Amino acid sequence: MDWFNKWLDTLYNTFIVSNRYMTLVEGLIKTIEITLGALLIGVVIGTFVAIVKVFCENNKKFKIFDVLCNIYLTVIRGTPVVVQLLIMFFIVFVSAEDGTWVATLTFGINSGAYVAETIRSGILAIDKGQMEAGRSLGFSQAKTMWFIILPQAFKNILPAIGNEMIALLKETSVAGYVAVIDLTKAGNQIKNTTYDQINPILLVAIIYLAMVLFMTKLLNILERRLRKSER
Amino acid sequence: MSDNYLIKTQELSKQYMGGKIVALNKVSAQIKKGEVVVVIGPSGSGKSTFLRSLNLLEKPDKGSIIFDGKEITAPKTDINLMRRKMGMVFQQFNLFPHKTVLQNMTLAPIKLLKLSKEEAEEKALNLLERVGLKDRAGAYPSQLSGGQKQRVAIVRALAMNPDVMLFDEPTSALDPEMVGEVLDVMKQLAGEGMTMVVVTHEMGFAKEVADRVIFMCDGAIEEEGLPEDIFTNPKSPRTKQFLQSIL
């Protein structure tokens, strides 16, 4: 058991000495902050863009909004998120001192593009009889969308949105590019100070995996609850 | 009012695919308060398009519709306000699958008529009792049979206190043994004096309940009159031909 005791010693030196584990905890909090903030921004932008596209696609008067949405989707999905992050931090918000909110905004805008297409496909999958039923009762197009179409669409696309959430969480690991000390960057810093090339990185990986498993579990519960009406 | 018409259409026309298909060709019709009008005709005759244009689910290209003394085809009309008074029942039921029977029925009264939840639910339960479905108030549409779904769809429309009920082939998607229960509800409604416009293939219902039958063909009204006249003594050869093919 000699190697085991040696490993414990290494762990002690790497994480416990001078409270280095706190760097990881702070990084973890930052990662969660950025993910949740970006998720919120992404869902709001995504829902908005999806609705605009559904309403304006076949409407000559509002064609311009459809075109604007398409430009947004093309640019965001056509460039790497790291490059978008660099553009936002070093070109758009040059005076930003803290990269955290810039990163949150960037990941939100990025995620919004993917969420938009998911939500749009969810809306298009709802039978057009639902819109007609809502309209025939006297609901406006917008109210029918809000009260009748979107709840059904969200239920159907929940697994896809879950995927996007998981992808987003992992994508935030590039936040270190704009001087944010997130979970990945924190692990990397510990690696550099302690010269322990193995344990910090592995621990970071395990923490990401645990978070993803937790999110998956949460999504499953939510999905089961929403599927109640299909029993 | 000088006349007692609830709905009056004037020369409604509608074309599809740049005029290749004429769905409606100058259809002028009147529906009196309390009248039950049944619209029959071969498929593609425009009868569904006519019905759906009455609450502007289909926008006619030309012509006008006057409902309750107001021209609803006028550009400034608040059609959402008008539609509250025009209940509609669809062939495919179109219940909201994510909501219970009770929620299906109370959504519009609560959000649009600003009823309290309690008022709306009490009213919905009364309506459900009338169609024998009070015990299914908490069920989801997927747990109901076709006939039950359509009865719920009818009372969902009734929960808005409409002045007229529009039925678009309400029994066409049902298994034969469930047609009767839906027709019974419609007969009951007609007996209570509800104004109804019904597109259907149920000739028995038309004979028994209709005050007037309209026969449509190629997007136009070919013949209209009392059911006994239309069914026993049709004037137009096309009406004759149609009735022979289905009876």
Side-chain angles (χ1 to χ4, degrees), chain A:
Chain A
M1 297 306 271
D2 200 29
W3 64 268
F4 187 72
N5 285 331
K6 238 167 125 185
W7 183 56
L8 285 183
D9 274 350
T10 318
L11 286 186
Y12 183 82
N13 280 327
T14 306
F15 297 116
I16 309 297
V17 171
S18 53
N19 283 342
R20 272 195 280 271
Y21 69 92
M22 278 312 290
T23 320
L24 278 183
V25 172
E26 278 159 21
L28 175 63
I29 291 169
K30 204 117 234 185
T31 291
I32 293 173
E33 266 175 28
I34 294 175
T35 306
L36 290 181
L39 193 69
L40 191 71
I41 297 171
V43 169
V44 170
I45 293 181
T47 309
F48 180 74
V49 170
I51 292 174
V52 168
K53 268 186 75 77
V54 169
F55 278 160
C56 299
E57 218 162 15
N58 298 312
N59 194 327
K60 283 191 190 100
K61 247 197 287 181
F62 299 111
K63 189 86 197 152
I64 178 72
F65 295 108
D66 187 48
V67 172
L68 287 176
C69 287
N70 281 337
I71 292 172
Y72 161 71
L73 294 175
T74 309
V75 170
I76 294 300
R77 295 196 298 177
T79 53
V81 66
V82 180
V83 177
Q84 290 166 16
L85 195 57
L86 296 176
I87 290 174
M88 287 292 261
F89 192 66
F90 293 107
I91 301 174
V92 182
F93 297 108
V94 201
S95 56
E97 279 166 24
D98 181 7
T100 308
W101 67 266
V102 178
T104 308
L105 186 65
T106 309
F107 290 124
I109 292 172
N110 180 275
S111 181
Y114 296 92
V115 173
E117 287 299 83
T118 310
I119 292 180
R120 193 170 70 95
S121 71
I123 292 172
L124 293 179
I126 302 297
D127 184 73
K128 74 176 184 8
Q130 293 289 311
M131 180 55 91
E132 289 187 347
R135 299 305 306 271
S136 79
L137 286 167
F139 284 108
S140 66
Q141 197 174 18
K143 279 185 178 159
T144 309
M145 185 55 86
W146 185 253
F147 290 124
I148 295 162
I149 311 287
L150 278 183
Q152 296 181 56
F154 267 114
K155 193 171 78 174
N156 291 339
I157 60 172
L158 195 64
I161 294 286
N163 260 343
E164 174 55 28
M165 278 168 63
I166 289 168
L168 179 63
L169 170 71
K170 292 180 295 177
E171 256 172 26
T172 60
S173 61
V174 298
Y177 273 95
V178 292
V180 175
I181 301 168
D182 70 320
L183 181 59
T184 305
K185 188 79 174 182
N188 207 30
Q189 276 187 350
I190 294 176
K191 185 197 81 175
N192 289 343
T193 22
T194 59
Y195 300 108
D196 180 349
Q197 307 267 24
I198 301 168
N199 296 308
I201 297 172
L202 285 182
L203 183 60
V204 164
I206 289 168
I207 295 173
Y208 275 112
L209 185 61
M211 280 197 286
V212 170
L213 288 175
F214 177 71
M215 279 164 81
T216 313
K217 184 88 193 156
L218 225 58
L219 281 162
N220 283 340
I221 293 170
L222 187 61
E223 209 180 320
R224 221 174 307 138
R225 211 174 273 182
L226 286 174
R227 294 239 167 258
K228 215 170 42 181
S229 58
E230 281 161 31
R231 265 183 315 207

Side-chain angles (χ1 to χ4, degrees), chain B residues 91-111:
Chain B
Q91 185 177 353
Q92 297 297 339
F93 327 127
N94 294 342
L95 294 180
F96 308 135
H98 60 305
K99 294 191 176 294
T100 63
V101 167
L102 199 62
Q103 289 167 342
N104 261 277
M105 293 177 65
T106 54
L107 182 68
I110 291 173
K111 301 287 181 200

Side-chain angles (χ1 to χ4, degrees), chain B residues 22-65:
Chain B
V22 180
L24 291 178
N25 189 9
K26 295 188 175 172
V27 178
S28 298
Q30 290 102 10
I31 289 126
K32 281 187 216 148
K33 215 168 169 48
E35 201 179 20
V36 178
V37 176
V38 171
V39 186
I40 60 171
S43 69
S45 61
K47 54 191 192 304
S48 271
T49 310
F50 169 66
L51 187 83
R52 289 160 54 82
S53 65
L54 293 182
N55 67 352
L56 296 190
L57 279 186
E58 302 278 352
K59 292 229 165 59
D61 304 330
K62 281 186 201 134
S64 66
I65 301 164

